Amino acid sequence: MNIRVNGEARDVPAALTVRRLVELLGLTEGPVAVERNGEVVPRAEHTAAELAEGDVVEIVHFVGGG
């Protein structure tokens, strides 16, 4: 299935959840904020929120620093 992630077209497996997408992108270290089709997906819903063909996803990965 085709979706857009942070402005980039990606071909991803069907029935992919937000959580699984975050894992596939290697963003499991630290918190992330996810927006799907202009709406924030609460972290508590990441494992249940399935992506669909044509979805537009924005992911912000927070990185600590000093």
Side-chain angles (χ1 to χ4, degrees):
M1 126 178 111
N2 292 301
I3 63 173
R4 290 194 76 75
V5 179
N6 294 346
E8 181 180 320
R10 289 190 177 257
D11 185 36
V12 297
L16 190 69
T17 64
V18 169
R19 176 62 187 166
R20 185 70 185 120
L21 175 63
V22 169
E23 291 170 352
L24 285 174
L25 297 174
L27 302 175
T28 56
E29 297 297 320
V32 295
V34 179
E35 180 181 275
R36 178 183 59 193
N37 301 325
E39 295 186 20
V40 173
V41 179
R43 191 177 333 191
E45 296 176 17
H46 285 190
T47 57
E50 287 194 12
L51 299 171
E53 179 77 27
D55 277 351
V56 176
V57 180
E58 296 293 328
I59 301 174
V60 177
H61 183 238
F62 298 96
V63 179

